[in-house]
Every structure is written in structure tokens, then in C-alpha cells.
Amino acid sequence: MAPKTQKITAKKGGKTKKTHQRFSINCATPVEDEIMDVGAFEDFLRARIKVNGKAGNLGEEVKLSRDKNEVQLTSHIPFSKRYLKYLTKKFLKKNNLRDYIRVIANDKTSYELRYFQISTAEDEESGEEDQ
């Protein structure tokens, strides 16, 4: 289910004006630990995003940009946030990072890459001793 776009109709002309959608993926945590490269991720998205049934054909409707550790996508056509999550997971799996990093929605229009919280047996034992 894609975020809703607003349609404004003129009284006489009947023209519709669609607002654009913006999505962002914050990759700060894995990039700071030098596990992941944002440039490679941006290139992967640029090659894999399908527009009108064709991969790698972003055209004027979809724009992809990068700001330090964040990838931003701006779309003038209907675009699913879920599709962006799917492609992010596919990139992580390709680079064997899927076991350590997960994709979390921290806002209505953004995702964040975080590490899994793994508790070991030693942590559980030390927690029981404190009680």
C-alpha cells in the first residue's frame, strides 16, 4: 500500500496536480562500522528499481540521491515504500549482511538499518546472578 498522494483539481480546467513522494533509508550505523558502502547500495537501487516494468530505467519520474549515509528517493509516480524495503533486503542478502542487519521503519517515509540485538548465554547468566 503506497502512501497517498494528494490530487488537487482546478474548477474549470479539470487538471490534476500530484504531489511527489519522498522516501529515505538511513544507513549510518553499518557505514560508520565500515561494513557497508552507501555508493554500492545506491548503484544497486539505481540498477534494480523498476519503472513501467523496466529495471534500471528511472527516467524523470524517479530520482535517487545520496547524502553522506542516507539514500533518498523522490518519485513523481506512485511508488511503494514496501518495494524499497524489499530491494534493501535483497542488497543485504547479496552482501551476506542479512543475518546481522535489519530494516526498520522509523517514520512514515523512512527506513533505518540497525543491528539485531543478540543476547548470548553469558549475558543471560550474569542477569540471573544479579537477581
Side-chain angles (χ1 to χ4, degrees), residues 91-104:
F91 175 79
L92 292 173
K93 183 68 174 177
K94 180 182 172 189
N95 293 314
N96 297 323
L97 297 173
R98 184 76 180 98
D99 295 333
Y100 311 107
I101 299 174
R102 62 184 183 159
V103 183
I104 299 176

Side-chain angles (χ1 to χ4, degrees), residues 10-123:
K11 292 182 180 179
K12 295 182 180 179
K15 296 179 183 177
T16 59
K17 180 181 178 183
K18 292 184 181 179
T19 59
H20 55 276
Q21 300 171 323
R22 291 186 184 190
F23 300 107
S24 64
I25 301 173
N26 186 357
C27 309
T29 307
V31 170
E32 289 172 357
D33 294 338
E34 297 179 1
I35 294 176
M36 187 177 126
D37 181 28
V38 180
F41 180 51
E42 182 185 11
D43 292 340
F44 178 85
L45 289 177
R46 196 174 303 279
R48 298 291 175 109
I49 290 177
K50 287 186 178 180
V51 177
N52 296 330
K54 295 182 181 178
N57 182 22
L58 298 181
E60 295 295 320
E61 295 90 12
V62 179
K63 297 190 189 290
L64 200 60
S65 63
R66 171 179 50 167
D67 294 331
K68 295 184 182 178
N69 297 332
E70 190 169 305
V71 176
Q72 296 178 346
L73 182 131
T74 305
S75 175
H76 298 289
I77 58 173
F79 196 88
S80 174
K81 181 182 170 192
R82 183 77 179 114
Y83 181 55
L84 204 54
K85 183 175 184 178
Y86 163 76
L87 289 174
T88 304
K89 285 182 173 183
K90 198 169 186 174
F91 175 79
L92 292 173
K93 183 68 174 177
K94 180 182 172 189
N95 293 314
N96 297 323
L97 297 173
R98 184 76 180 98
D99 295 333
Y100 311 107
I101 299 174
R102 62 184 183 159
V103 183
I104 299 176
N106 61 347
D107 192 3
K108 188 175 181 181
T109 59
S110 67
Y111 283 115
E112 182 179 356
L113 300 182
R114 290 188 192 165
Y115 292 112
F116 281 109
Q117 297 292 330
I118 301 172
S119 61
T120 60
E122 295 173 5
D123 293 339

